[in-house]
């Protein structure tokens, strides 16, 4: 009886343990792990099937599981720094625990593994974009004339601009995209908001990343733009935007917005406009003419 009670209690405790699985999302990363003798999977497809089966089993048992991106290069660096043998399952377990604290993770909630993988990659790109933009802002340092931190001032201005954009947008769900062009690559951030009974709801992590990328564009006066699409039941979607210019936002004309949405980026060929969409000039943000930043 005591033995049975012990097994029952262990099963109950097992359901209380949250777990993280480090996932190899693509074939290239999977092949990189194949060099380790203790990594016994033969092909990526079978590996993914086994992972999905494990996730489903844990969910049926009432266990909570999060999924993290397992990068073989980061794993090798981790093992070198921690003086671990990379060809041991225990080392992979320790790295996965490290990912649970430092890397992007998403909970498994019964969705198809393909959907979870796509969302996880998007989350990793978001985090990398935010970290990179934050680093560049911090490197700008103080203004040589007034001593104000350039990155912090730009972030404050970007936050104010975002608030004005949302305050002046028509009611509905909003999808905003900000892109900043500069060496070595273009940074893109997206923000989704929902309109619930007149209250705007947004993801704070998305908002932070979006504001950081916008701040970087303002602080460096890099080429870039910001577009917003507003969707509401019973009305056409409204699309409008701005060009980043002179430490501020310069409104695009309706024709410029139309051209941007109805031109193929790769070929330059025209694309048929979407039905039930209005390409229009943005509303007045109601702000004073922006200062020229810190180029005194």
């Amino acid at each position: 009886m005591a033995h049975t009670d012990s097994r029952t209690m262990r099963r109950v405790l097992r359901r209380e343990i949250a777990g993280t699985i480090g996932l190899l999302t693509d074939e290239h990363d999977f092949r990189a792990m194949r060099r380790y003798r203790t990594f016994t999977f033969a092909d990526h497809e079978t590996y993914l099937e086994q992972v999905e089966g494990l996730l489903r089993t844990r969910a049926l048992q009432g266990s909570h599981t999060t999924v993290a991106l397992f990068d073989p290069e980061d794993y090798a660096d981790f093992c070198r720094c921690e003086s671990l043998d990379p060809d041991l399952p225990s080392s992979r377990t320790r790295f996965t625990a490290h990912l649970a604290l430092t890397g992007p993770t998403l909970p498994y909630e019964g969705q198809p593994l393909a959907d979870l993988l796509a969302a996880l990659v998007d989350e990793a790109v978001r985090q990398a974009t935010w970290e990179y933009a934050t680093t560049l802002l911090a490197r700008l340092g103080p203004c040589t004339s007034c001593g104000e931190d350039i990155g912090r001032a730009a972030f404050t201005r970007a936050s104010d601009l975002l608030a004005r954009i949302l305050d002046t947008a028509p009611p509905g769900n909003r999808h905003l995209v900000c892109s900043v062009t500069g060496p070595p690559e273009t940074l893109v951030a997206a923000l989704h908001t929902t309109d619930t009974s007149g209250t705007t709801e947004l993801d704070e992590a998305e908002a932070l990343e979006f504001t950081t990328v916008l701040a970087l564009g303002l602080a460096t006066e890099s080429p870039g733009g910001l577009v917003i699409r507003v969707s509401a039941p019973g009305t056409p979607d409204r699309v409008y935007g701005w060009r980043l210019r002179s430490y501020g936002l310069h409104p695009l004309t309706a024709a410029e917005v139309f051209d941007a949405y109805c031109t193929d980026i790769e070929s330059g060929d025209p694309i048929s406009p979407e039905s039930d969409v209005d390409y229009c000039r943005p509303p007045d943000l109601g702000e004073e003419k922006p200062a020229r930043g810190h180029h005194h």
Side-chain angles (χ1 to χ4, degrees):
M1 182 67 177
H3 182 61
T4 302
D5 288 343
S6 296
R7 286 189 300 180
T8 301
M9 286 188 289
R10 281 197 295 269
R11 283 198 297 268
V12 172
L13 286 173
R14 194 175 294 118
R15 291 198 296 268
E16 301 292 327
I17 299 174
T20 302
I21 294 178
L23 190 58
L24 298 163
T25 59
D26 59 45
E27 186 73 35
H28 178 268
D29 288 346
F30 180 83
R31 287 198 302 269
M33 292 300 294
R34 287 275 294 149
R35 67 176 179 266
Y36 300 121
R37 177 185 55 82
T38 57
F39 187 79
T40 57
F41 290 96
D43 65 89
H44 192 229
E45 183 177 353
T46 301
Y47 163 80
L48 292 178
E49 289 174 354
Q50 292 298 317
V51 169
E52 188 163 24
L54 176 60
L55 289 171
R56 288 175 177 169
T57 298
R58 285 180 55 83
L60 289 172
Q61 293 172 344
S63 298
H64 175 79
T65 311
T66 57
V67 179
L69 285 179
F70 194 107
D71 184 280
E73 292 185 7
D74 290 346
Y75 172 62
D77 291 341
F78 176 81
C79 289
R80 279 193 295 271
C81 291
E82 299 294 326
S83 300
L84 300 174
D85 181 355
D87 202 0
L88 288 177
S90 59
S91 299
R92 293 195 287 274
T93 300
R94 287 185 60 175
F95 178 63
T96 300
H98 171 74
L99 291 178
L101 296 174
T102 61
T105 62
L106 288 177
Y108 175 71
E109 298 173 330
Q111 67 270 54
L113 186 60
D115 294 346
L116 181 60
L117 288 178
L120 188 59
V121 171
D122 287 345
E123 184 67 19
V125 171
R126 273 183 49 192
Q127 180 169 316
T129 299
W130 173 74
E131 290 175 350
Y132 181 65
T134 300
T135 299
L136 293 182
L137 276 177
R139 287 177 180 173
L140 294 176
C143 174
T144 56
S145 296
C146 69
E148 184 176 17
D149 186 280
I150 297 175
R152 186 176 296 113
F155 188 88
T156 299
R157 172 147 177 76
S159 299
D160 178 65
L161 285 171
L162 177 58
R164 291 173 184 266
I165 290 170
L166 295 177
D167 287 344
T168 57
N173 296 332
R174 295 84 173 256
H175 175 66
L176 297 85
V177 177
C178 178
S179 61
V180 173
T181 303
E185 59 185 323
T186 297
L187 297 182
V188 180
L191 174 63
H192 309 265
T193 75
T194 56
D195 192 349
T196 305
S197 301
T199 302
T200 300
E201 298 181 358
L202 52 78
D203 182 277
E204 292 186 1
E206 275 192 2
L208 177 61
E209 179 205 337
F210 189 93
T211 306
T212 304
V213 171
L214 176 57
L216 181 63
L218 295 173
T220 59
E221 297 195 15
S222 300
L226 192 159
V227 293
I228 178 172
R229 181 170 185 151
V230 183
S231 303
T235 62
D237 284 7
R238 298 188 63 182
V239 179
Y240 53 87
W242 298 263
R243 183 182 292 108
L244 270 64
R245 179 181 290 174
S246 300
Y247 203 63
L249 298 176
H250 180 78
L252 296 172
T253 65
E256 288 173 324
V257 177
F258 180 88
D259 288 342
Y261 268 79
C262 301
T263 303
D264 185 274
I265 298 177
E266 299 294 334
S267 65
D269 295 333
I271 302 173
S272 298
E274 296 181 66
S275 60
D276 211 26
V277 173
D278 287 342
Y279 304 95
C280 49
R281 185 179 176 86
D284 184 4
L285 296 181
E287 64 162 353
E288 298 178 358
K289 185 178 179 181
R292 283 289 301 170
H294 291 265
H295 301 288
H296 303 306

